[in-house]
Amino acid sequence: MTVEAGKGAATPSAAADEYLLALSYDSEDGLLAVLDDDQGDDLIAQWRAYRGEMRRGDTRPSKLEVSINSTSYTDEQHAVVEVSVQPIWWDKNGGGMSYAGDQQTWTFHARRDSGWQIERVNPYPWCGGHVNAPACEGKR
């Protein structure tokens, strides 16, 4: 779905999903449209830093599995979205095997303007959270 002004997402959960898709695919395409204008610089810096953690050593997942747990509206213009995020790693040797990390909850705070935009993200830590690998040592 598109929003009239092309800024934001149709729902708060769609904005959270777009953020996590950009993270999973390591692409900022479409990300800026779902970030709050006032918080955009800080949010993109946070996104890039998190992506950097995911790239450390051999910790980069093949993809992130995402499942919306709940969306609660604090008023007509604000919502909180809780999302389960689970990293998946595919066998690098092509054996068809995969390893799935534990599902962990991320929280997104969204605001509606012309569409829903992310104001704040509380991610589950990558290093020392989703991943406890040697590449993450010293980051806990």
Side-chain angles (χ1 to χ4, degrees), residues 13-112:
S13 59
D17 190 53
E18 187 68 35
Y19 180 99
L20 289 165
L21 275 172
L23 195 62
S24 183
Y25 288 106
D26 194 14
S27 172
E28 293 180 26
D29 292 345
L31 180 61
L32 292 177
V34 296
L35 300 181
D36 179 72
D37 293 332
D38 295 335
Q39 307 302 321
D41 290 341
D42 291 338
L43 288 167
I44 196 72
Q46 178 188 21
W47 183 93
R48 287 174 178 159
Y50 199 91
R51 194 63 207 162
E53 288 296 303
M54 292 172 70
R55 289 185 190 124
R56 287 177 59 124
D58 198 21
T59 67
R60 184 177 178 173
S62 302
K63 69 176 183 171
L64 297 176
E65 290 277 336
V66 174
S67 175
I68 304 296
N69 292 339
S70 67
T71 302
S72 57
Y73 294 86
T74 55
D75 58 38
E76 290 182 7
Q77 304 298 58
H78 296 89
V80 177
V81 181
E82 291 190 351
V83 182
S84 288
V85 177
Q86 182 179 33
I88 307 290
W89 291 269
W90 289 101
D91 181 3
K92 293 178 183 176
N93 298 322
M97 300 290 289
S98 68
Y99 168 76
D102 293 335
Q103 288 185 349
Q104 301 297 340
T105 301
W106 290 41
T107 305
F108 292 83
H109 297 263
R111 178 183 64 81
R112 179 169 44 194

Side-chain angles (χ1 to χ4, degrees), residues 53 56 59 124-140:
E53 288 296 303
R56 287 177 59 124
T59 67
Y124 190 77
W126 187 255
C127 284
H130 284 293
V131 174
N132 288 311
C136 289
E137 290 301 318
K139 295 301 286 185
R140 293 183 196 144

